[in-house]
Structure formats: C-alpha cells, structure tokens
C-alpha cells in the first residue's frame, strides 16, 4: 500500500508539468518501470526542481566574414557585373 501512495504522490507532482497522459496511465507506467528508490528520488526532484540553465542570447550583429554568401544584393555580381559571379572571370566574356 505504501508503494501505491508513493507512486500516486510522484504522479500528482508530475502532473504540475506533464498532463499529456491520464493520471491512471502515468500511475501504471510509474509502478511498472520505477523502483522504490527511483520513485523517492523522483519525488524529491519534483518537490524541488533544479532551475533550468539560462542560455546566452546570440549577439544581434552578424559577422559577415563568418557567414558570407555571394549575392547580387551585396554587390558581388549582377547582370551589369557578371564576371564577379562565383567561378567566372573576365576572360570568360572576351
């Protein structure tokens, strides 16, 4: 009986975060796949969850040398300047 109460406690704590399955299904899965020690650890974790790590935001400025892609909008080549297209040279047009 004590194990069933521990499993129920763990599932009820879990339902604060995860409601994708029914409570009965979560109880069945926890009872089937977790040992008493794992359930105790799970309950402790769910009571006091560790804060998620904060990710550093990516800088807004873009380093063009690292992310360079030739394009006509960057004045690399265009119909009026086709010899600057990748793989082309002036001798191809003479």
């Amino acid at each position: 009986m004590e194990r069933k109460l521990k499993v129920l406690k763990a599932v009820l704590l879990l339902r604060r975060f995860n409601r994708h399955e029914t409570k009965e299904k979560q109880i069945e899965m926890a009872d089937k796949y977790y040992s008493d020690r794992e359930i105790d650890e799970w309950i402790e974790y769910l009571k006091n969850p560790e804060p998620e790590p904060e990710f550093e935001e990516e800088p807004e400025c873009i380093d063009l040398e690292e992310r360079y892609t030739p394009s006509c909008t960057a004045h690399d080549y265009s119909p009026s300047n086709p010899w600057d297209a990748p793989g082309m040279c002036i001798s191809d047009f003479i």
Side-chain angles (χ1 to χ4, degrees):
M1 184 67 165
E2 184 179 329
R3 177 172 169 79
K4 290 188 183 234
L5 291 175
K6 283 183 179 181
V7 170
L8 178 62
K9 184 175 184 176
V11 167
L12 291 176
L13 287 169
L14 175 66
R15 291 188 62 77
R16 292 188 304 182
F17 308 102
N18 181 356
R19 291 181 172 256
H20 297 288
E21 296 284 338
T22 64
K23 179 176 65 175
E24 291 77 16
K25 181 74 172 173
Q26 288 175 334
I27 289 171
E28 179 185 329
M29 298 287 282
D31 192 35
K32 184 176 180 180
Y33 293 109
Y34 292 101
S35 68
D36 287 335
R37 184 180 57 79
E38 290 172 326
I39 290 174
D40 290 336
E41 290 172 0
W42 194 22
I43 289 171
E44 285 303 313
Y45 174 77
L46 291 171
K47 281 183 180 178
N48 303 310
E50 297 171 3
E52 292 186 20
E54 293 184 24
F55 295 102
E56 294 181 18
E57 291 185 29
E58 193 171 314
E60 291 183 24
C61 62
I62 298 172
D63 187 7
L64 293 178
E65 291 182 14
E66 288 182 18
R67 299 182 185 185
Y68 177 74
T69 303
S71 69
C72 63
T73 57
H75 307 292
D76 296 331
Y77 62 94
S78 66
S80 65
N81 192 20
W83 47 84
D84 286 338
M88 302 298 284
C89 64
I90 292 177
S91 63
D92 293 332
F93 301 97
I94 298 177

